[in-house]
Amino acid sequence: MAKQFFANVKSVLSGDTLVLTSQNNPSAERIFSLAFVTGPHLKREGDEPFAFQSRDYLRSLVVGKVVQCTILYTIPTSGRDYGVAQLKDGTQLPDELVKTGWLKVREDAGRKEESEEVLQRLETLRSLETSAKGDGKGLWEGVGGIIEVQNDINSLDINQWKGKTVDGIVERVLSGDRLLMRLKLSDKKHLQVMTLVAGIRTPTTERVNQSTGQTQPAEEFGNEARSYVEQRLLQRDVKVEIVGTSPQGQLIASILHPRGSIAEFLLADGLARCNDFHSTMLGSKMASLRAAEKKAQGAKLRLHKDHVAKADGGSSSDMIVSKIQGADAIFVRTKNGAEKRINLSSVRGPRSNDPAEAPFRDEAKEYLRKKLIGKHVKVSIDGHRPASDDFEARDVATVTEKGKNINLMLVQDGWCSVIRHRKDDTDRAPNYDELLAAQEKAKEELKGMWSGKASKAKTYVDVSESVQKAKIQLSTLSRQKKVPAVVDFCKAGSRFTILIPREGVKLTMVLAGVRAPRAPRLPQEKGEPFGQEALELANRRCNQRDCEIDVHDIDKVGGFIGDLYINRESFAKILVEEGLASVHQYSAEKAGNANELLAAEQRAKEGRKGLWQDWDPSQEEGDEEETAEVEPTKDAAPADKRARDYREVVVTNIDSNGKLKIQEIGKGTSALEILMNEFKKFHIDPKNNKPLGNAPKTGEFVAAKFSADGQWYRARVRSNDRTAKVAEVVYIDYGNTEKIPWSSLRALDQPQFTTQKLKAQATDAVLSFIQLPTAPDYFSDALNYIAEATDGRSLVASFDFVDTKEGLSYITLFDEKSGAGGSSTFTDSINKDVVASGHALVPKKLKAWERGSASAEVLKKLREVESQAKADRLGMWEYGDITED
């Protein structure tokens, strides 16, 4: 008796052959062929006529359905079963396909059969075949039936088809996100290629490494994802929406089943993650995929079983922007007056260690300053970076001003790039996909730092650098009224660094007619009463704000004496009115603002504010005050008479020996930008493409092509490998080194580019008062710590001592936010932080310049934090005090 069984149809190989799976065990497969008939076959070298049509008719009838199969005979050599099948609706196979002309009855069918039942079935089949042949159905049509099938994606004009939807069939499922698709480009032309499901990435499946023959196990849920897609899509009709190609040349497309996008189903069931690299191709359609993924994360399904939901404390609050740290970091002030740092979510400003981006740092910062400084903004917290290694905790947030998303605007205008987050990093902007799309558009439109042109950032000459320069500039500024400017830095309550864009100058300004108390510089210093409050008010009201200035005179050290107006209001009057400065009668009368200032001072006295909290009208006497001209000199002189030398710097590199490479901002850097613009133009010109005439010599200055960006920079040859024709060079304006072939070197003999025209901008420096460990592991940890503390930060350096013989500066570094030069103390310094974290120690043998009286308090503080680091077993002290040996 013929054996019967029920099975699910997984797929169809041809019009006469089915792939079946067990109803109880879907992984168990068997091939079942229809008896007594034959049909055309699909072949790699080319399909037989009508092969696709024959298979497609059977596919549309049976795939995904349950059939009842009857085995009539089995071929012993192959073990393949032959028989007939019946669908639940009664449709008989192969009768239905013979009837419609898609199968032929085999000529040898029935020759060896003696069963009356079999002969009767053959007679029925031949009758159906005769009828189909007479009607010219299916294969019997006789003409056509050939479909051109191409397997090369290069045969498809992707730009023509991008964004279009075509009909397709899933021929094979390699993994949850990789399918072999047959695209029906037309009735006579099909394309069969590997296709990536747009917007998602699923775990890999088990596969055999072709080179080694070893089986690589599947990632968790990889095989489950593939089975999930097979059950729903294999050999189903789908819509294929083409979105682009991958860097490897594979087609990327959205696969749409009548019930919806397979990508969304995989994400919602926790079998896939969103693929950020497809975001720009999908645009707004990525939002539904993110929503599906978020749903699975909330339910902790499969891939997200260990997902930790982001706290809904993602608060949104109104704040005031008090300082622009960089293009991607700001300081904001809350309603209660507290100040905190905010990093903009998912965006990053131009990087200082990237020669292509670094020139745009100031321009990007200025863009953000104009947009935000002093403005009311809404800050929506997207995540939190916990404090670690003495770095303060900070929030990442989306900032909006009057409904405009500032993060997005920075990317749209090309002043920030988008951070590529880890797949499990949830501390990202909610409009991350929009940011990625904006970045691509900014690159296409050559905006901001993507322009390929030189930065338009203003370069400023410091005219307060010397009295001679100040006198020259005074003659120009004193003839102008209400000169537009920007407060770059608040050094004290009445002392500022001012930028004047239209003049291209930077100057130190002292408010005329007033004297503000001095703020403490070190914790041990008491400073003058209300000195710190005066500086804080100046920072709140003036720092980085647009302003106007009137200049009257200069002081003995090159400071400019005059009036500063914020929103057309005299800041000197504000200081006096708040009781945070007193009026100097003579200076005020000379400046012509005595009446205004004296009236403000009287109001402060009557209100018992600040300096006048204990004011007694009966004891009113006009004590003589120090003049504004003298103030800068006294403020600048510490107890040991050694003048403090504060300069804004950026750390461009850290050598393997621990030396820092620094650039001083505002002096040579402005000239460097101008030089590099000309340098770039010079080397772009093909006529200047002249290799070195001879082998480079150690110590020789050359033009070198930086491997990271392909641009040319000034460099010096450090060493040579004449066999390999490779030289190790140091880039003299940035401090980093690399080994490059001689072919990437050119002569640096043009007068306009030599070091005589502009000296090397990267200078050597070491941190004062500290000694790095000698053990390799601890030394490496120390370098990493210093790198993290300085990378991408605006810093102020106190040049404690300059060894001209060795060409080495000993510096104390401050983060710019500490207010270096005005109220900074050694407690705020990075030097102290390195010791406190156990990455450096206080040297026992001091250099001659370190033994001065001014160094005593610094060394005392350092030894205190060193003792604490030892007690806490931090860094090099993890196994005890190594100095006891």
Side-chain angles (χ1 to χ4, degrees):
M1 182 177 177
K3 181 182 177 181
Q4 292 186 342
F5 64 91
F6 287 90
N8 296 320
V9 180
K10 178 181 179 180
S11 60
V12 176
L13 299 180
S14 62
D16 59 5
T17 304
L18 310 175
V19 177
L20 306 176
T21 59
S22 168
Q23 290 183 305
N24 299 323
N25 181 13
S27 62
E29 296 181 4
R30 67 192 298 180
I31 295 177
F32 183 80
S33 294
L34 300 177
F36 314 125
V37 293
T38 183
H41 295 114
L42 289 84
K43 299 180 179 179
R44 183 181 296 275
E45 60 272 15
D47 300 344
E48 295 177 356
F50 295 105
F52 174 76
Q53 295 90 329
S54 174
R55 188 201 73 164
D56 212 45
Y57 186 82
L58 180 59
R59 179 188 66 80
S60 61
L61 277 180
V62 301
V63 168
K65 296 180 181 179
V66 176
V67 292
Q68 180 182 1
C69 298
T70 302
I71 299 174
L72 299 181
Y73 60 91
T74 301
I75 302 298
T77 55
S78 64
R80 182 179 296 187
D81 297 325
Y82 286 78
V84 296
Q86 180 177 327
L87 298 174
K88 282 188 176 181
D89 61 4
T91 301
Q92 296 283 340
L93 303 176
D95 303 49
E96 177 64 22
L97 278 91
V98 175
K99 177 182 175 182
T100 52
W102 293 118
L103 290 179
K104 295 179 180 180
V105 180
R106 290 209 319 270
E107 293 181 1
D108 61 347
R111 290 180 182 177
K112 298 180 180 179
E113 299 290 348
E114 298 177 356
S115 166
E116 193 66 34
E117 183 181 350
V118 170
L119 293 174
Q120 181 63 40
R121 173 170 286 281
L122 284 171
E123 185 178 342
T124 301
L125 290 175
R126 290 195 172 103
S127 174
L128 292 172
E129 182 182 52
T130 301
S131 177
K133 188 185 298 184
D135 293 339
K137 292 181 179 179
L139 307 176
W140 307 111
E141 186 177 348
V143 294
I146 297 177
I147 295 175
E148 179 187 357
V149 181
Q150 294 182 331
N151 303 98
D152 186 2
I153 185 65
N154 294 322
S155 64
L156 183 72
D157 185 351
I158 195 66
N159 293 323
Q160 176 188 347
W161 289 90
K162 188 181 292 186
K164 293 184 179 180
T165 301
V166 297
D167 292 328
I169 298 173
V170 179
E171 294 287 1
R172 187 179 171 195
V173 179
L174 286 88
S175 63
D177 58 355
R178 292 172 183 266
L179 315 174
L180 183 64
M181 294 294 308
R182 178 186 282 256
L183 306 183
K184 301 177 184 178
L185 302 182
S186 67
D187 291 340
K188 299 295 182 183
K189 185 175 181 180
H190 291 179
L191 177 67
Q192 187 164 296
V193 291
M194 174 71 66
T195 303
L196 305 181
V197 180
I200 64 168
R201 179 176 290 146
T202 62
T204 59
T205 55
E206 182 180 274
R207 61 193 187 278
V208 177
N209 189 319
Q210 299 298 328
S211 60
T212 63
Q214 294 181 338
T215 299
Q216 296 179 345
E219 294 179 348
E220 189 177 19
F221 303 113
N223 290 336
E224 187 177 346
R226 180 177 62 185
S227 299
Y228 185 96
V229 177
E230 276 186 342
Q231 291 172 11
R232 291 158 177 79
L233 292 191
L234 184 61
Q235 287 205 335
R236 289 353 185 251
D237 289 311
V238 295
K239 296 289 184 182
V240 181
E241 187 176 297
I242 298 172
V243 299
T245 56
S246 71
Q248 293 75 32
Q250 295 170 318
L251 187 69
I252 301 175
S254 296
I255 309 300
L256 308 176
H257 185 272
R259 292 187 180 180
S261 166
I262 189 62
E264 287 188 36
F265 284 105
L266 282 165
L267 289 166
D269 285 336
L271 290 170
R273 299 182 190 272
C274 285
N275 190 337
D276 293 339
F277 290 95
H278 294 177
S279 175
T280 53
M281 300 180 189
L282 290 170
S284 60
K285 295 178 182 177
M286 197 73 186
S288 59
L289 301 185
R290 298 281 187 198
E293 182 182 48
K294 189 173 182 179
K295 178 181 176 183
Q297 289 173 340
K300 294 192 175 184
L301 296 178
R302 297 182 175 90
L303 288 173
H304 310 293
K305 60 184 180 181
D306 299 321
H307 175 73
V308 178
K310 188 160 52 172
D312 286 336
S315 54
S316 178
S317 52
D318 293 324
M319 301 182 184
I320 297 175
V321 179
S322 57
K323 182 181 177 182
I324 306 299
Q325 181 74 9
D328 55 9
I330 62 175
F331 283 86
V332 292
R333 193 168 61 252
T334 59
K335 291 180 180 179
N336 61 9
E339 192 174 64
K340 62 186 293 189
R341 173 172 171 157
I342 294 291
N343 279 46
L344 302 185
S345 300
S346 300
V347 302
R348 177 172 52 211
R351 290 166 288 187
S352 60
N353 59 355
D354 187 332
E357 295 183 12
F360 294 93
R361 285 173 60 82
D362 291 341
E363 198 172 352
K365 181 179 177 181
E366 177 63 8
Y367 173 92
L368 189 59
R369 186 195 70 81
K370 289 180 176 179
K371 293 283 184 189
L372 289 189
I373 194 66
K375 302 275 184 73
H376 287 266
V377 297
K378 178 168 283 189
V379 177
S380 301
I381 304 299
D382 299 321
H384 182 76
R385 305 292 188 198
S388 62
D389 296 333
D390 287 339
F391 287 104
E392 63 181 20
R394 61 187 63 176
D395 293 325
V396 292
T398 297
V399 176
T400 55
E401 194 266 329
K402 293 182 179 178
K404 295 180 180 178
N405 187 314
I406 299 301
N407 306 42
L408 180 60
M409 290 176 67
L410 281 162
V411 176
Q412 286 175 332
D413 290 335
W415 299 120
C416 277
S417 57
V418 181
I419 296 171
R420 291 289 185 179
H421 291 285
R422 301 187 311 273
K423 61 184 180 181
D424 57 345
D425 187 358
T426 59
D427 292 342
R428 59 173 68 187
N431 64 332
Y432 185 66
D433 298 309
E434 188 179 9
L435 292 175
L436 288 170
Q439 177 175 261
E440 291 304 309
K441 188 174 181 182
K443 287 182 178 180
E444 289 173 9
E445 296 177 357
L446 303 179
K447 289 187 174 181
M449 62 180 171
W450 314 117
S451 65
K453 300 177 182 178
S455 170
K456 297 178 182 178
K458 286 279 186 182
T459 54
Y460 296 94
V461 177
D462 188 355
V463 293
S464 289
E465 191 176 35
S466 67
V467 176
Q468 185 180 5
K469 284 186 178 181
K471 285 180 179 178
I472 295 172
Q473 192 63 41
L474 176 65
S475 62
T476 301
L477 295 178
S478 61
R479 293 194 299 267
Q480 304 177 51
K481 294 295 181 184
K482 299 290 180 67
V483 179
V486 178
V487 178
D488 186 50
F489 191 64
C490 299
K491 298 181 176 182
S494 60
R495 186 178 173 86
F496 309 89
T497 298
I498 303 291
L499 304 178
I500 307 178
R502 76 182 185 191
E503 298 288 339
V505 299
K506 175 173 73 172
L507 54 85
T508 297
M509 185 168 191
V510 181
L511 297 183
V514 302
R515 182 191 181 279
R518 181 175 59 83
R521 291 199 182 105
L522 296 172
Q524 296 80 4
E525 283 188 28
K526 291 185 178 179
E528 296 179 346
F530 298 99
Q532 186 62 35
E533 288 84 345
L535 176 60
E536 289 173 355
L537 178 64
N539 277 320
R540 285 200 307 271
R541 300 291 291 271
C542 304
N543 192 31
Q544 296 186 332
R545 305 301 204 279
D546 289 324
C547 65
E548 294 173 319
I549 63 170
D550 283 339
V551 173
H552 309 314
D553 203 349
I554 60 171
D555 62 21
K556 296 178 181 179
V557 293
F560 288 72
I561 301 169
D563 299 323
L564 173 68
Y565 297 92
I566 302 292
N567 295 325
R568 300 187 177 182
E569 186 178 11
S570 167
F571 184 67
K573 187 194 80 169
I574 295 172
L575 262 182
V576 173
E577 213 163 34
E578 293 298 323
L580 298 175
S582 57
V583 179
H584 183 266
Q585 183 83 24
Y586 171 77
S587 180
E589 288 177 355
K590 185 177 178 182
N593 57 357
N595 292 337
E596 180 184 44
L597 294 179
L598 289 170
E601 186 178 63
Q602 188 60 34
R603 290 193 293 272
K605 289 177 177 178
E606 293 171 355
R608 303 296 194 277
K609 293 182 178 180
L611 295 168
W612 314 111
Q613 60 182 351
D614 300 322
W615 178 65
D616 182 358
S618 63
Q619 301 296 321
E620 182 80 324
E621 292 183 6
D623 292 333
E624 194 68 20
E625 300 284 355
E626 296 179 81
T627 64
E629 290 90 336
V630 177
E631 180 197 350
T633 306
K634 290 201 172 184
D635 275 358
D640 63 345
K641 304 300 180 185
R642 185 169 66 232
R644 291 285 184 180
D645 182 8
Y646 290 105
R647 308 177 201 174
E648 294 178 42
V649 299
V650 60
V651 176
T652 58
N653 194 63
I654 301 178
D655 288 346
S656 57
N657 60 9
K659 287 184 181 178
L660 310 182
K661 297 290 187 181
I662 62 172
Q663 287 181 351
E664 291 184 41
I665 304 299
K667 293 183 179 180
T669 52
S670 57
L672 176 62
E673 289 180 7
I674 296 171
L675 182 142
M676 288 308 299
N677 290 338
E678 296 302 318
F679 201 66
K680 183 177 180 181
K681 293 177 185 176
F682 179 87
H683 286 284
I684 286 175
D685 192 339
K687 69 183 181 184
N688 297 319
N689 184 10
K690 299 176 182 177
L692 291 175
N694 300 304
K697 298 177 182 178
T698 301
E700 181 182 1
F701 290 99
V702 294
K705 191 175 185 180
F706 187 38
S707 61
D709 64 3
Q711 299 295 324
W712 293 87
Y713 299 91
R714 302 193 303 170
R716 180 171 54 81
V717 177
R718 178 176 281 182
S719 63
N720 251 331
D721 183 345
R722 294 184 178 274
T723 304
K725 293 187 177 181
V726 170
E728 182 183 19
V729 300
V730 55
Y731 294 96
I732 61 175
D733 297 312
Y734 298 92
N736 54 315
T737 63
E738 70 169 350
K739 292 183 178 180
I740 57 176
W742 290 356
S743 58
S744 294
L745 300 178
R746 293 178 184 173
L748 188 67
D749 53 4
Q750 304 83 19
Q752 68 271 33
F753 301 136
T754 62
T755 53
Q756 286 75 27
K757 178 69 175 179
L758 179 67
K759 69 177 183 179
Q761 291 302 296
T763 58
D764 287 330
V766 294
L767 298 180
S768 302
F769 306 110
I770 69 173
Q771 178 183 327
L772 299 182
T774 55
D777 289 344
Y778 296 138
F779 182 76
S780 177
D781 291 344
L783 295 190
N784 291 335
Y785 182 92
I786 296 170
E788 289 180 10
T790 58
D791 182 50
R793 296 194 180 195
S794 298
L795 304 171
V796 174
S798 170
F799 282 67
D800 305 314
F801 180 73
V802 178
D803 188 340
T804 54
K805 184 178 179 180
E806 297 293 332
L808 186 64
S809 299
Y810 293 83
I811 61 174
T812 300
L813 280 178
F814 302 88
D815 197 328
E816 188 181 74
K817 70 180 181 183
S818 67
S823 63
S824 66
T825 67
F826 193 85
T827 308
D828 303 317
S829 71
I830 291 174
N831 304 43
K832 185 273 296 182
D833 292 341
V834 178
V835 175
S837 61
H839 293 305
L841 64 157
V842 183
K844 293 188 180 297
K845 185 177 180 181
L846 299 176
K847 300 176 181 65
W849 69 269
E850 292 175 323
R851 299 174 194 147
S853 59
S855 305
E857 289 298 329
V858 171
L859 291 167
K860 178 182 176 184
K861 179 61 180 176
L862 277 177
R863 291 188 178 104
E864 289 175 2
V865 296
E866 182 188 61
S867 297
Q868 187 61 46
K870 290 178 181 178
D872 294 339
R873 296 294 181 91
L874 299 178
M876 73 175 85
W877 314 114
E878 62 180 331
Y879 299 117
D881 189 348
I882 59 176
T883 62
E884 292 178 350
D885 295 333

